[in-house]
Amino acid sequence: MSAQPDLLHSEEEEALRAAVRDLLTDHCDPAGVIVRTESETPHDVPLWKTLAGSMGLAGLLVPESLGGQGATHREAAVVLEELGRSVAPVPYLTSAVVATEALLACRADDLLTESASATTVAALAVGLHVAPGVTVPHVRLEDGALHGELTGIADAAVADVLLVPADDGGLYAVSAADATVTPQVSLDLTRPVARVSLDGATGHRLGESGPAVRRALRAGAGLLASEQLGLADWLLTETVRYLKERKQFNRQVGGFQALKHRLARLWLEVAGLRAAARNAADALATGTDTDVAVAVAQAYAARVAVHAAEEALQLHGGIGMTWEHPVHLYLKRAKADSIAYGTAGAHQEALAESVDLRAP
């Protein structure tokens, strides 16, 4: 019989949340994020350096013996929830979680130490849309050199090292300077994607790509739910605040019964997402029913985050349609997240397989 998941935050996790939220309040305001999305450098490198270096968050999942914090996925989930609340344009999910999990699977100690110290940003060269457990695109290995093209690689533009799957079954560390990284059109401008082309690049073989990529994508999918929770929670809170202030016919708009019903329904959905996301983080940390917990979280999270963004956009009225208001950032991130690391449908199918409820 499996142990009951712990869905409550510890005092240490709440302290971590408060510290991250205070930092983001001071250094990641919505207006600043919008300005960055309009520039040629959408990533907030100074903020990343503060989060990763000064606060040590890049090494949360890295063992203390390698210079990391030796924490668990529960703490990483707290960080991602706060980053989701701010739609922070930093490569935390892609580098500190997904790439780190791949490096841990390969026992790449040197790169883990560099990642934990924030001197290196790593990115797994697998499309952001790829779900755990499916066939992963790879490049060719010919005479010790790598050739090929991979698309939809999130945060490749800011990466120092690319972790590239090859057709010999290996995962190779390739310097980003030896690859051609071409930006692709992305709906979510706060997490840009790129095409990575390799033409005779050399790489260091870290280990087997199959287990490493599966582990990395599973952790990415599970903790993405915490980011989606942060998005949805901010949208609900901001919408309630706005409807309390906005008046129509000399009445608070939030006092209309129809809007109360919509907000109540959304609150229930966000509460359900909080439980699912927390369960996925706890399962990743303890190794208990991990595949099921991750599939449940992602089968539910995308719909809630997108619904929260759509409701916020509509209930903010005309101001919500303006570029100056940050709701569009959250809607785009929610839409992009809905296909990241597998769609809800893909996770529903995986869940059915896990619990032996296959379709006829």
Side-chain angles (χ1 to χ4, degrees):
M1 184 175 180
S2 60
Q4 292 295 320
D6 182 4
L7 304 185
L8 301 179
H9 292 91
S10 66
E11 291 184 6
E12 292 79 8
E13 290 164 355
E14 288 294 354
L16 174 62
R17 177 195 303 281
V20 175
R21 183 174 297 188
D22 287 346
L23 176 67
L24 293 174
T25 299
D26 293 337
H27 298 285
C28 192
D29 62 289
V33 176
I34 293 174
V35 170
R36 285 200 168 275
T37 62
E38 297 175 322
S39 71
E40 296 181 356
T41 55
H43 290 100
D44 192 339
V45 177
L47 175 60
W48 167 250
K49 291 294 184 183
T50 303
L51 285 166
S54 301
M55 296 188 68
L57 300 184
L60 273 183
L61 299 179
V62 179
E64 292 183 78
S65 59
L66 299 176
Q69 304 300 317
T72 71
H73 300 84
R74 292 172 58 93
E75 288 79 12
V78 170
V79 175
L80 279 166
E81 186 179 337
E82 292 306 312
L83 293 176
R85 288 179 62 87
S86 299
V87 202
V90 294
Y92 187 84
L93 178 64
T94 51
S95 181
V97 174
V98 175
T100 294
E101 287 283 348
L103 294 173
L104 286 168
C106 294
R107 299 182 179 179
D109 292 356
D110 291 343
L111 277 175
L112 284 168
T113 299
E114 293 176 10
S115 296
S117 64
T119 58
T120 296
V121 175
L124 182 65
V126 173
L128 183 62
H129 61 285
V130 177
V134 305
T135 302
V136 175
H138 53 259
V139 299
R140 304 187 316 277
L141 179 67
E142 297 178 0
D143 300 324
L146 298 168
H147 302 265
E149 184 176 272
L150 299 166
T151 61
I153 312 304
D155 295 329
V158 76
D160 302 301
V161 175
L162 299 168
L163 309 181
V164 182
D167 58 3
D168 70 333
L171 186 67
Y172 288 81
V174 178
S175 172
D178 295 332
T180 301
V181 179
T182 306
Q184 293 181 285
V185 176
S186 175
L187 174 64
D188 178 15
L189 300 178
T190 63
R191 181 175 285 149
V193 297
R195 179 184 298 107
V196 173
S197 302
L198 302 175
D199 186 14
T202 58
H204 171 62
R205 195 179 198 276
L206 301 172
E208 295 295 321
S209 67
V213 171
R214 281 194 297 272
R215 173 175 172 172
L217 296 183
R218 186 179 67 174
L223 293 185
L224 177 65
S226 292
E227 177 183 289
Q228 291 165 304
L229 169 61
L231 290 170
D233 189 57
W234 184 91
L235 288 161
L236 173 60
T237 302
E238 183 64 20
T239 303
V240 170
R241 183 199 62 78
Y242 175 75
L243 293 181
K244 285 182 177 180
E245 296 178 354
R246 181 78 168 89
K247 289 188 177 181
Q248 191 175 71
F249 307 116
N250 205 31
R251 287 184 58 188
Q252 287 182 334
V253 174
F256 294 114
Q257 193 72 12
L259 299 189
K260 287 182 179 180
H261 287 166
R262 290 171 67 171
L263 292 172
R265 176 188 172 191
L266 186 58
W267 184 90
L268 288 172
E269 292 179 357
V270 173
L273 175 53
R274 180 172 289 106
R278 196 62 186 161
N279 182 52
D282 187 72
L284 286 164
T286 61
T288 305
D289 295 330
T290 307
D291 291 336
V292 171
V294 169
V296 167
Q298 272 308 310
Y300 184 67
R303 180 178 65 82
V304 175
V306 171
H307 182 224
E310 291 172 344
E311 288 287 74
L313 183 65
Q314 291 181 22
L315 295 178
H316 272 80
I319 193 173
M321 299 297 295
T322 64
W323 188 257
E324 290 76 13
H325 197 281
V327 147
H328 66 91
L329 295 176
Y330 291 82
L331 176 61
K332 293 170 185 174
R333 173 66 72 88
K335 285 284 190 179
D337 281 356
S338 69
I339 62 171
Y341 305 117
T343 62
H347 287 284
Q348 287 169 350
E349 292 178 5
L351 177 61
E353 289 286 334
S354 298
V355 299
D356 199 24
L357 285 176
R358 300 173 183 83

